[in-house]
Amino acid sequence: MVALVAQSIPIDAALDACWFQFGVADILRRAQGHAFGAFGLNPNECPYQVIASGPFWRLRDYTKHDTAQSLLIVAAPIKRPYIWDLAPTASAIRFCLGQDLHVHLLEWLPASRTTGNNGLTEYTEAISDCVAKISGESAGVKPFLIGHSLGGTLAAIFGALAPTSIRGLLLLGAPLCFRPTTSRFRDGLVALVPSGLTEAEPCPGSLLSHVSALASPDTFIWSRLTDAAFSITDSHAMEIHTRVERWALDEVPLPGKLVHQIIEWLYRENLFCQGALRIGGTLVGPQGVSVPTLAIINTADDVAPLDSVKPFIDAMPTSDVRIIEYPGEIGVGLQHLGILIGREAHAQVWPDIASWINSHR
């Protein structure tokens, strides 16, 4: 840990000096992704229509079955949302459509200098707009809210702010508690990223990728290499692993304000779990999440381990809460993505997710 802290000074200088270079790296990495696509690895997404939008978001609608129970996916703001629909054989969206759910997805658009001044409050307001749109089109029937990774964190923040507007909350690999020692990734990230990171400029996605790899090389480098080695003899696993690598190259810039608030308010200060996160003038925390909640934990994932979820869950006022532990698997590239794309996850965990939704309609 001392070594990590010692690195924060040169990294601070590097961030100031290399912001432009990381923006160029975004372009180069996307070009690499397009090269992967030339070999048939471009995303193969379900058809959808955009039914609402804002300056930095779009609401996708994947079906016209208005009588079905609505499910709103809150995509993570990092990279592209097609990780939810990576391939016909590894698609959480296709699974949900097969369960007669009316699927929507909130997609975050790449940040720019004109639309980049958005933080947690603005992102939460966008979720509110989408929930209102969905409820208005379905005669007031409340949607379920589901999110993975930081998408799940954003969904939980909205669930704490406006619990009466949704039917239930599903959190997949979503970190909620950021106390020291909850995960090596959290501790490494806080040690590496200096306080006072600029909010004025969009943050290149490749910068976040590089910092994440430095914070947890086991998670973002060595485990990926191990997964590739074990996937070589399994054609399906190797295809999905390769598609994940193509997706990982699809970098998009994030608002500097959002990145600053996530690192400072969540990771460094743990304000959400303490009930001290201020969203639009209202303090939110676990005490506000009163809706039925299902949390999925990948025990092989160091980004959102059990210790980053359970303290928050234990502090919620509702007793209608369930945690499912999933052991991870080979052929998913990053264990953090396993719940969305893994064969074992789709065979064993997603039927439990569908059953939980059905029992709470």
Side-chain angles (χ1 to χ4, degrees):
M1 180 62 68
V2 174
L4 288 174
V5 173
Q7 292 181 43
S8 65
I9 295 176
I11 285 178
D12 190 3
L15 294 183
D16 290 339
C18 299
W19 210 263
F20 173 76
Q21 286 86 342
F22 277 113
V24 173
D26 276 9
I27 297 172
L28 295 176
R29 283 173 62 82
R30 286 196 296 268
Q32 287 180 290
H34 292 318
F36 272 64
F39 292 93
L41 294 171
N42 275 330
N44 180 12
E45 297 183 83
C46 295
Y48 62 86
Q49 60 178 335
V50 175
I51 61 171
S53 63
F56 63 99
W57 58 270
R58 302 192 307 171
L59 178 60
R60 300 181 181 185
D61 186 346
Y62 287 85
T63 179
K64 294 182 178 294
H65 301 301
D66 293 335
T67 58
Q69 172 63 56
S70 291
L71 177 72
L72 173 58
I73 298 169
V74 179
I78 297 175
K79 296 186 170 60
R80 303 284 184 177
Y82 63 81
I83 193 65
W84 284 86
D85 195 14
L86 190 64
T89 58
S91 170
I93 286 178
R94 292 172 201 262
F95 177 89
C96 293
L97 291 173
Q99 300 297 312
D100 192 32
L101 290 169
H102 190 160
V103 180
H104 300 79
L105 182 143
L106 173 52
E107 172 189 6
W108 308 110
L109 302 178
S112 68
R113 293 191 176 188
T114 57
T115 63
N117 190 30
N118 298 299
L120 291 173
T121 292
E122 290 78 13
Y123 273 64
T124 306
E125 289 172 350
I127 298 174
S128 178
D129 290 343
C130 292
V131 168
K133 172 70 173 177
I134 293 167
S135 297
E137 292 192 343
S138 58
V141 176
K142 303 174 185 177
F144 285 93
L145 208 57
I146 183 171
H148 170 258
S149 189
L150 286 175
T153 308
L154 292 172
I157 290 172
F158 176 78
L161 184 68
T164 60
S165 66
I166 57 176
R167 186 171 292 273
L169 190 60
L170 299 97
L171 307 173
L172 315 181
L176 304 171
C177 176
F178 302 88
R179 294 187 307 214
T181 75
T182 53
S183 78
R184 288 174 296 176
F185 172 71
R186 178 267 169 208
D187 292 342
L189 187 69
V190 168
L192 280 168
V193 179
S195 297
L197 194 66
T198 180
E199 298 184 37
E201 298 287 335
C203 180
S206 57
L207 172 58
L208 298 178
S209 295
H210 280 75
V211 170
S212 296
L214 285 170
S216 184
D218 286 345
T219 298
F220 292 97
I221 299 176
W222 304 123
S223 68
R224 289 165 75 171
L225 295 174
T226 300
D227 187 83
F230 282 111
S231 299
I232 287 176
T233 58
D234 184 330
S235 59
H236 174 84
M238 197 67 222
E239 179 197 351
I240 298 306
H241 177 99
T242 308
R243 288 185 178 276
V244 168
E245 292 300 319
R246 189 263 181 273
W247 170 83
L249 291 167
D250 226 342
E251 303 283 15
V252 294
L254 279 74
K257 182 178 179 180
L258 178 69
V259 173
H260 173 84
Q261 291 179 356
I262 287 173
I263 292 174
E264 294 299 319
W265 295 359
L266 300 184
Y267 277 90
R268 200 183 302 276
E269 299 178 33
N270 193 29
L271 296 182
F272 186 33
C273 193
Q274 295 176 6
L277 180 65
R278 190 171 296 278
I279 300 294
T282 301
L283 292 178
V284 298
Q287 69 281 354
V289 186
S290 57
V291 295
T293 301
L294 175 66
I296 312 296
I297 309 296
N298 184 338
T299 57
D301 174 28
D302 196 42
V303 176
L306 183 63
D307 286 346
S308 73
V309 177
K310 195 171 186 303
F312 187 98
I313 295 291
D314 290 343
M316 289 166 49
T318 178
S319 59
D320 192 351
V321 180
R322 182 183 177 192
I323 294 177
I324 295 177
E325 295 188 33
Y326 152 69
E329 59 187 287
I330 294 298
V332 295
L334 291 165
Q335 287 301 324
H336 189 52
L337 305 174
I339 185 58
L340 295 182
I341 59 177
R343 274 181 297 189
E344 293 300 316
H346 277 263
Q348 299 178 16
V349 181
W350 279 92
D352 285 343
I353 292 175
S355 177
W356 185 88
I357 292 175
N358 287 332
S359 69
H360 290 84
R361 286 186 187 228

